[in-house]
Amino acid sequence: MPQVLEGVIGPEQEAAALDKIACLMALERKVLWLSTWMIHNANHLRPNRDGLKVGGHQASSASVATLMTALYFDVLRPQDRVAVKPHASPVFHAIQHLLGHQSREKLERFRAFGGAQSYPSRTKDGETVDFSTGSVGLGVGITLFASMAQDYLRLKQLAPTDDPPGRMIALAGDAELDEGNIFEALLEGWKHDVRNLWWVIDYNRQSLDAVVSDRLFGRIDAMFEMMGWRVVTLKYGRLLEAAFARPDGHHLREWIDACPNSLYSALVYKGGEGWREHLHRDLNRYPGIRAILDDHDDPALQRLMTNLAGHDMESVLDAFHAVSDDRPTCFIAYTIKGYGLPFAGHKDNHAGLMNLDQMASFRRNMGVAEGAEWDLFAGLDLPPERLSAFLSAAPLARAARRWHEAPRVPVPPSLPPPRGKRLSTQEAFGRVLGDIAAGDTALADRIVTTSPDVTVSTNLGPWVNRRGIFDRSERVDTFREEKVVSAQRWAMSPRGQHIELGIAESNLFLQLAALGLAGSLFGTRLLPIGTLYDPFIKRGLDVLNYACYQDSRFILVATPSGITLAPEGGAHQSIGEPLIGLAQPGLVSFEPAYADELAILLRWAFEEIQWDDGQSVYFRLSTRPIEQPERKIAAELEAAIVAGAYWLHEPEEGAELAIVYCGAVAPEAAAAHRELAEDVPAAGLLAITSPDRLHRDWQASRTEGKISFAERLLARLRPGAALVTVGDFHPATLSWLGAVVGNRIVPMGVDRFGQSGDIPDLYQAYRIDSGAILDAAARACLLALR
Ligand SMILES: Cc1ncc(C[n+]2csc(CCOP(=O)(O)OP(=O)(O)O)c2C)c(N)n1
Ligand SMILES: [Mg+2]
């Protein structure tokens, strides 16, 4: 019976508690069986057409079978949200199958196209998955930021507060703690006084390659405690604890405590005989130890010595149920990688798969008859009706839906473009957002901004000044209180709508990922906007990819960008990011040149991130003020700006040349186009607002048999006409345009960086100034004539 209940419950409740444990232990066996069988089936029994290994992680799955059984069938409440370590996916699928949320067919197709996914995936496995995982460390990290998102909504009464808050839970592999993003997240979480967070560490002391270093648990302990977490260590199970309580038993405890991880793992693999040999050699002088050895045959000794708390259902339940407050808690659960399988403890077991003979004998041990491998309750020593009743009573089985449907936030039909003769897109962004902040609209209330210490320098200031900084508690702006003059008003409160992060781009993307899932996770949509410097997208790139992979929705504003950043720092100039924008699934990118374009696109983005089949949106902006066109934008032009391009100067029908530009180089392109007018009066000037949208449309048109937008635009030119493309980015961003209808192309752009200087010097040095564009145009015309 769980320790917490001893002495406080009556005989009936005691019987119920014992029944629960019996059911959970039976189901734990089934979870282990189904997860290993699913992998075996995929690798050995399904036809293999390409000779590739299918894989799956039997050892990593076995390691968490007890922990996950306890959580999913007993501990979790519907509002809790879980990130499962990626390679425990088979355990996760087995559990969902037992809960009736995952079909047998999907399990049979584990790792096949359309089957249960290798790593739990929100977009492919669907509603059972709270957070996708795969890139180790990120699933752990997102739970922390999801907890902040939950607080953000609850403290503003944007989400119902009748139920207690959900616990954001990560089931982490111990080697995941080597990932830097974990440490970055921990520190940020401490700053924000994060709550309702559980990280359950599957401390099997093995990674992919090796056995992890000894005494690591001490470091883990200290690290979490330093960040204000409670640390609960689940080390030894009931059998071992009982042995320790016998005469001389403390010597056994000391022996195991001192046993190096690698020796312990090796002995787990060797089994009873190995333990006996070592214990005999080291502890034979103690009569109590001799008695323990005599009382256990080899299988019993193996059972005893591997009885770690992470595999002991009662210990696990005790630990989970003992936590009733909202303090973040780290459970260090000692486990054995491959527990219960023939390669338990072997250092090479990460990708290990049982062979046919091993599986046959494992099946027999599990009491599963041949042909009954998929049966839910085969081989268990409790009646199926009892187990089935137990499962249907689990809180997660009863919960209707796991994902919420959150209503869309209305977006006004237009956002007024900021006025001004000369503006940069970054300034325009700050002003559009500042105007939204000043209004009393649903849109304004649901926008949440966040930035890794570049709030001011990315022009979020006007927004923050009006909408305040989010904090769990009220904090005054000391500079303001002390009447020190500053343009920034930084009062913090639960009402604030900006989450200020330390300089860690990984945290920015995890925070955006979590905020962008708020609708589904907590029932209320947020419209997150994150800002950072464009080159530092690469610092968090895998995390951005992670956010997009699980279809989280947010707006990313990257500014400044390119060499146009000029004197402010060669080291911060970005080149390849538009190619990321082009290639990243789930993210559509724009690089407008003018403020009116930005206002249109930002409005479109607020809609786009809310459509079921929408995407996140990335804006690459600039600090370069440029002269603004005086124009009224009609609906057709607006649609073209959103679609990615429009003729700023329409070419004459059949023209032989066009200059194609994108972003901050607009003045150079226009100047070159003006000068060209004498020699090639028919030439056009094509403004690109999104290489990405154009490219996708072109790709899609080929499969859908339509004429692409790019092709329609270029159709005004004579066949084979020349294009000079130019942008403050890698020339490959636009060079594909030459393939749309077969234009001759001279792609201009930047493929090196790192010089400080002013724009005239840098544009000349990197050859994106108007002189270089004219040279290219001349070359292009020659090419086209050939
Ligand atoms: C970012 C990233 N790097 C590398 C990998 C490959 N990989 C998958 S599992 C793993 C080791 C995991 O060890 P641990 O977290 O201790 O889990 P265990 O298998 O022991 O349960 C590695 C390196 C990955 N999935 N993600
Ligand atoms: Mg491990």
Side-chain angles (χ1 to χ4, degrees), residues 176-195:
E176 291 199 73
L177 297 185
D178 288 330
E179 286 288 0
N181 82 276
I182 303 259
F183 302 85
E184 296 178 12
L186 271 177
L187 193 57
E188 198 62 55
W190 174 80
K191 289 187 218 161
H192 289 270
D193 190 20
V194 74
R195 306 268 123 197

Side-chain angles (χ1 to χ4, degrees), residues 19 94 179 408 427 668 759 776:
D19 182 58
E179 286 288 0
R408 288 171 61 86
E427 190 187 348
E668 282 65 29
I759 286 182

Side-chain angles (χ1 to χ4, degrees), residues 174 204 206-207:
D174 44 1
N204 61 23
Q206 282 187 249
S207 59

Side-chain angles (χ1 to χ4, degrees), residues 60 85 87 134-136 173-176 179 204 206 208 337 350:
S60 303
K85 75 170 184 177
H87 30 301
S135 176
V136 299
D174 44 1
E176 291 199 73
E179 286 288 0
N204 61 23
Q206 282 187 249
L208 190 158
K337 191 155 171 172
H350 185 80

Side-chain angles (χ1 to χ4, degrees), residues 626-643:
I626 61 175
E627 199 155 322
Q628 300 293 308
E630 272 185 41
R631 57 183 172 181
K632 234 182 129 45
I633 295 185
E636 197 185 344
L637 178 55
E638 175 167 341
I641 287 169
V642 170

